[in-house]
Amino acid sequence: AQSVTQPDIHITVSEGASLELRCNYSYGATPYLFWYVQSPGQGLQLLLKYFSGDTLVQGIKGFEAEFKRSQSSFNLRKPSVHWSDAAEYFCAAIINAGGTSYGKLTFGQGTILTVHP
Amino acid sequence: EAGVTQSPTHLIKPRGQQATLRCSPISGHTSVYWYQQALGLGLQFLLWYDEGEERNRGNFPPRFSGRQFPNYSSELNVNALELEDSALYLCASSWRGRDEQYFGPGTRLTVT
């Protein structure tokens, strides 16, 4: 079955420290991949996306992600975290072909990021 | 450019009643998606509409239904409400079914 896994439920970092959030996917073919961020009680904001091509993608708010086909991973990184980055982060995937999964975003369980001053 | 809008922000309904949630996509987007975010269950795909047709459906009972209007806005109807339907319902839109999806702020449904 197609799935997206975020191994870390909760991560705590100090402000100014670097950040890496992990994401692994399990699909028959390489899906389109996304990272979203959600502040408490709010909707999801798209941070970045990977469709094909360059495996290092840049997003908004200083985030980047690296696609590694050999590891079926799409990890999110930021060199220096700000207190305003505290939120929940979701990795998501969508199959880019027909079938029963067409149009359906599959989300990971989410990683809650806490930032200490 | 206006984003995806949803109404109402909050909705409180008694068990057994019907709830109607509304969504307006980003201008130019033809696809609308509905997701449920329930406590402990994560984000789950509900429905996808494109050009007025239902294109895909998640693993939810038939009492979850919806439609898409000619202006591409959409309604999600939940009939015979159950306590476990309490959740944040998120609407998203995209230009076509294969592109990135942009989300609205959600409607918080509470079933009492």
Side-chain angles (χ1 to χ4, degrees):
Chain A
Q2 298 163 341
S3 65
V4 176
T5 303
Q6 294 177 244
D8 305 306
I9 296 173
H10 196 171
I11 283 184
T12 299
V13 299
S14 297
E15 191 169 17
S18 63
L19 172 70
E20 182 169 25
L21 302 182
R22 297 182 291 162
C23 173
N24 293 95
Y25 64 89
S26 175
Y27 276 74
T30 300
Y32 292 161
L33 295 160
F34 308 88
W35 275 98
Y36 287 89
V37 61
Q38 185 179 35
S39 297
Q42 302 298 311
L44 301 174
Q45 182 180 25
L46 179 64
L47 287 175
L48 45 76
K49 63 192 179 191
Y50 174 77
F51 287 176
S52 64
D54 193 349
T55 57
L56 186 62
V57 294
Q58 301 298 319
I60 62 171
K61 302 185 178 188
F63 286 94
E64 66 179 25
E66 186 172 15
F67 170 70
K68 292 185 177 179
R69 184 188 305 274
S70 61
Q71 298 177 19
S72 298
S73 69
F74 187 56
N75 293 349
L76 181 71
R77 301 195 295 242
K78 187 169 185 177
S80 178
V81 170
H82 188 262
W83 64 267
S84 60
D85 293 325
E88 189 163 14
Y89 292 79
F90 292 92
C91 181
I94 193 168
I95 198 72
N96 56 342
T100 58
S101 296
Y102 193 37
K104 166 189 171 183
L105 267 175
T106 297
F107 287 88
Q109 302 90 323
T111 298
I112 297 171
L113 174 65
T114 298
V115 181
H116 280 169
Chain B
E1 176 184 286
V4 177
T5 59
Q6 293 186 243
S7 64
T9 304
H10 294 91
L11 190 57
I12 301 173
K13 290 282 189 178
R15 187 171 47 184
Q17 294 294 304
Q18 179 194 48
T20 298
L21 289 65
R22 296 179 176 82
C23 172
S24 291
I26 291 171
S27 178
H29 284 187
T30 62
S31 281
V32 170
Y33 311 81
W34 289 95
Y35 291 85
Q36 183 196 64
Q37 188 175 27
L39 202 62
L41 295 179
L43 281 149
Q44 295 183 283
F45 169 76
L46 259 168
L47 290 159
W48 169 32
Y49 292 96
D50 184 64
E51 299 282 0
E53 300 285 331
E54 182 180 303
R55 301 296 185 184
N56 203 355
R57 181 182 183 87
N59 189 25
F60 281 84
R63 57 191 187 83
F64 286 84
S65 64
R67 54 180 172 167
Q68 186 178 32
F69 299 99
N71 67 353
Y72 303 113
S73 67
S74 176
E75 258 181 17
L76 174 69
N77 294 295
V78 187
N79 294 317
L81 286 165
E82 300 180 3
L83 294 177
E84 55 262 34
D85 296 333
S86 295
L88 182 67
Y89 288 84
L90 294 165
C91 172
S93 74
S94 74
W95 179 54
R96 283 185 288 191
R98 299 183 180 187
D99 292 340
E100 62 265 34
Q101 297 178 20
Y102 294 90
F103 283 79
T107 292
R108 173 73 62 184
L109 173 64
T110 302
V111 181
T112 61

